[in-house]
Amino acid sequence: MAMTSNEPRASSESRTLHPDALGLGSVLYLSMAGAAVLAAVITNVPLIASQAGASVPLVFVAAGVGLLSFTPAIVSFSRRSSSAGGFASWIATGLGTRAGLLSGWLMAGGYTLFTTSVLILLGSLLQSALSSYLHFNIPGGWVTYTVLATLLTFGAAVLDISLASRGVVIFMLLELITLLILDTAITLKGGAHGHDLSPWSLAGTSVAGAAPGGLLGLLDGMVLGVWMFVGFDTSAVYGEEARRPRVAVPVALLFSILVLLLLYLWSSYSAVIGFGWEHAADQLGKGGYQSSYQLGARYVGGWFAEVMNILNISSNLACALAFALACGRYLFDLGRKQLLPSQLGSTHPRWKSPHKALLVQALFTLVLVLLLALVQQKTQADGGTSYRLSLSLGEAGWSQTDGTNPYLWLSTTGTMAILLVYILVNLAAVRAWLRQDRQAGRLKLPSLVCSALALLSSLIFALPLASFILPAIPGTVGNYFTSLGFAATPFPLNILPLLVLLWVLGGALLLLRLSSRTQRTPAESVQEE
């Protein structure tokens, strides 16, 4: 019997994920765990406040409009198609196979960066907590903790998916309860100076200490605002492992967006008024993730701040596991479709997990962590910061960068990649809806309304990308957008779009390689059984 070189040699069983392993609740738990609600609020709300000032809730209003307008596309696709390819398989339906494969490549890259960024942040949090509470310091600092957390995370990811879903439930419920207690306490006490509507307007972007502030600060903050929703989409990859996937997946996607939006609106407003909206940047933003602990101690009690610290660590661990699971399935699907080595498209004989894909992802994560461990920083006389890659230690003025900086760089880069995929999903949906109407012989109102929402969503997703890219273009274009109030993002944030571009080019080269393989003559491709 003849076999082409494109066909896998492994048995069908060794290339199959665990069917019917997840119920609706499990898919939803994994989706919420990917968002890491408590950790996202603790870490990212202060970062957004440092950019957008008191208008952090307005950031989530804008991001929420984009995500809610996104729901017709994702619900429509998820009710018709279920695959480990997730968003990539949907894009292939509307825009073609090549667009789908490139989208899967983008999702795999974005998810790998997300996983790595959360593990680095987890290492930084562990270093801070153990040093403060137990006066215990380990050689290598956050890097060592991150390496250990990476081994633990990917070790758990290789196990049966049903075990992983059970493991995240407790952490997810505890972090939700903790966040609700904090928000309720601040709301009932009226914050530091009472309730105020300024955080819901652009006026809040002009508070002291906001950098860059204004409209640009709002757009820059949207990158992290959208990033805080990323994770809800992990449920899209469990179509082959969920029971009744065409119900479980769309319900989990829609419910996650709604719950996350409400929580982020409430939590960001509570954090801003907790310090007083006038001090959103110079106190909330300047204090970093410690600001959230200060709010816990001030409005609930010192013991509650300690609970938040512990649950922040567990929340990040569950988040890293959720992203690793999802990324492993994107890599598995790309291996199955031959864009990547076909070995990645195999599953563990016992646990039915994509163990080889997860191993490759773990190795990539470790290499990236060790590379970022070489980043050193130095504060200049003018207050700016210089960075370099160096093996030397102890040189005057230079120190290893804290894990918070690599977290910001990687999460921002990953968000850009995922935003591109979100836009492609919208465009694929518009094309699919209009194609159906043409086949029916007339345009229908629901298709037109959903298409308009999809285009609005794409525009909103494109705004954060524009704030990074357009001012950095040299010459007339960059000068024009600078005159509108945009400003070039400082190094190293200004080079992050280039990394996404390089990743896209890498995917394009893989597509060319795949195309050249599939176009070989039958005499060249046929092999003996």
Side-chain angles (χ1 to χ4, degrees):
M1 177 179 177
M3 181 189 300
T4 65
S5 60
N6 292 340
E7 295 173 353
R9 291 182 176 276
S11 67
S12 59
E13 184 176 356
S14 66
R15 303 178 75 84
T16 303
L17 296 168
H18 190 168
D20 298 328
L22 302 173
L24 171 60
S26 297
V27 177
L28 180 59
Y29 299 150
L30 288 170
S31 182
M32 294 295 292
V37 183
L38 180 63
V41 169
I42 289 175
T43 305
N44 292 325
V45 166
L47 288 173
I48 297 173
S50 70
Q51 299 170 325
S55 297
V56 186
L58 191 60
V59 168
F60 290 108
V61 170
V65 171
L67 268 298
L68 290 175
S69 301
F70 189 36
T71 56
I74 59 178
V75 170
S76 174
F77 276 130
S78 61
R79 290 177 63 187
R80 292 184 297 170
S81 173
S82 58
S83 164
F87 283 8
S89 63
W90 302 347
I91 292 170
T93 300
L95 299 180
T97 302
R98 292 185 179 182
L101 288 173
L102 187 59
S103 300
W105 174 251
L106 273 170
M107 290 298 287
Y111 274 12
T112 297
L113 294 183
F114 290 151
T115 306
T116 308
S117 70
V118 174
L119 288 168
I120 288 175
L121 180 62
L122 180 60
S124 182
L125 293 173
L126 284 170
Q127 179 193 27
S128 176
L130 294 178
S131 176
S132 299
Y133 298 138
L134 302 179
H135 306 289
F136 175 76
N137 293 288
I138 193 170
W142 67 263
V143 179
T144 303
Y145 288 117
T146 297
V147 170
L148 293 175
T150 299
L151 297 176
L152 175 63
T153 297
F154 284 96
V158 170
L159 300 176
D160 192 295
I161 185 66
S162 60
L163 297 176
S165 65
R166 295 189 200 112
V168 301
V169 174
I170 296 176
F171 293 136
M172 187 200 72
L173 292 176
L174 287 176
E175 64 179 292
L176 286 177
I177 292 171
T178 301
L179 192 59
L180 290 174
I181 291 174
L182 177 61
D183 291 344
T184 301
I186 296 175
T187 301
L188 291 178
K189 295 181 180 180
H193 308 299
H195 293 282
D196 198 293
L197 295 179
S198 297
W200 303 94
S201 70
L202 279 174
T205 63
S206 59
V207 297
L215 179 61
L216 179 63
L218 191 72
L219 294 176
D220 284 352
M222 275 185 65
V223 175
L224 285 172
V226 174
W227 146 245
M228 290 173 63
F229 285 89
V230 172
F232 87 92
D233 41 61
T234 57
S235 55
V237 303
Y238 298 118
E240 297 177 34
E241 297 165 284
R243 295 188 290 274
R244 300 181 64 200
R246 297 186 183 184
V247 174
V249 173
V251 169
L253 288 167
L254 183 58
F255 189 79
S256 296
I257 289 177
L258 293 174
V259 171
L260 291 172
L261 178 58
L262 292 175
L263 284 173
Y264 291 154
L265 288 171
W266 188 13
S267 299
S268 61
Y269 175 72
S270 298
V272 167
I273 66 169
F275 283 96
W277 74 271
E278 302 92 339
H279 299 290
D282 60 7
Q283 291 186 19
L284 174 62
K286 188 177 180 180
Y289 63 83
Q290 294 293 337
S291 300
S292 300
Y293 301 147
Q294 293 172 20
L295 289 172
R298 180 185 302 182
Y299 289 96
V300 182
W303 64 271
F304 190 75
E306 307 302 331
V307 171
M308 289 178 64
N309 197 357
I310 295 172
L311 290 180
N312 186 22
I313 293 172
S314 65
S315 176
N316 275 289
L317 184 60
C319 176
L321 176 58
F323 275 126
L325 289 168
C327 182
R329 279 146 183 82
Y330 272 112
L331 291 173
F332 164 79
D333 188 64
L334 291 174
R336 202 166 48 175
K337 293 174 179 174
Q338 304 289 305
L339 185 69
L340 294 177
S342 61
Q343 292 88 341
L344 299 184
S346 62
T347 55
H348 192 279
R350 176 182 177 185
W351 295 311
K352 299 301 179 185
S353 62
H355 60 302
K356 293 182 180 178
L358 288 166
L359 176 60
V360 169
Q361 185 191 358
L363 292 175
F364 185 87
T365 296
L366 289 172
V367 169
L368 190 54
V369 168
L370 295 177
L371 178 63
L372 290 168
L374 302 178
V375 176
Q376 297 182 3
Q377 65 182 61
K378 179 180 181 180
T379 303
Q380 304 295 335
D382 60 0
T385 304
S386 296
Y387 297 92
R388 70 176 186 181
L389 284 174
S390 177
L391 289 170
S392 62
L393 299 174
E395 186 175 338
W398 290 94
S399 61
Q400 183 187 44
T401 190
D402 181 74
T404 306
N405 284 326
Y407 164 77
L408 176 61
W409 303 334
L410 296 180
S411 62
T412 301
T413 308
T415 299
M416 292 181 187
I418 300 303
L419 284 175
L420 290 175
V421 176
Y422 286 178
I423 292 172
L424 288 173
V425 169
N426 278 321
L427 297 179
V430 170
R431 186 177 181 187
W433 291 326
L434 296 181
R435 184 170 57 207
Q436 288 178 352
D437 285 0
R438 282 198 304 270
Q439 292 172 351
R442 64 185 180 90
L443 292 176
K444 300 178 181 178
L445 182 60
S447 297
L448 295 176
V449 172
C450 290
S451 296
L453 289 173
L455 294 176
L456 172 63
S457 173
S458 297
L459 176 62
I460 293 174
F461 292 150
L463 289 176
L465 297 175
S467 70
F468 270 84
I469 297 170
L470 295 178
I473 297 176
T476 305
V477 175
N479 293 336
Y480 172 73
F481 282 96
T482 300
S483 70
L484 295 178
F486 290 86
T489 310
F491 181 84
L493 294 176
N494 62 332
I495 67 171
L496 299 184
L498 296 177
L499 301 180
V500 179
L501 178 60
L502 290 174
W503 188 256
V504 172
L505 292 176
L509 291 175
L510 287 174
L511 279 173
L512 288 175
R513 177 174 171 270
L514 176 61
S515 178
S516 66
R517 287 206 315 267
T518 57
Q519 290 175 3
R520 282 182 292 179
T521 65
E524 294 173 315
S525 62
V526 174
Q527 298 180 2
E528 304 246 331
E529 181 180 5

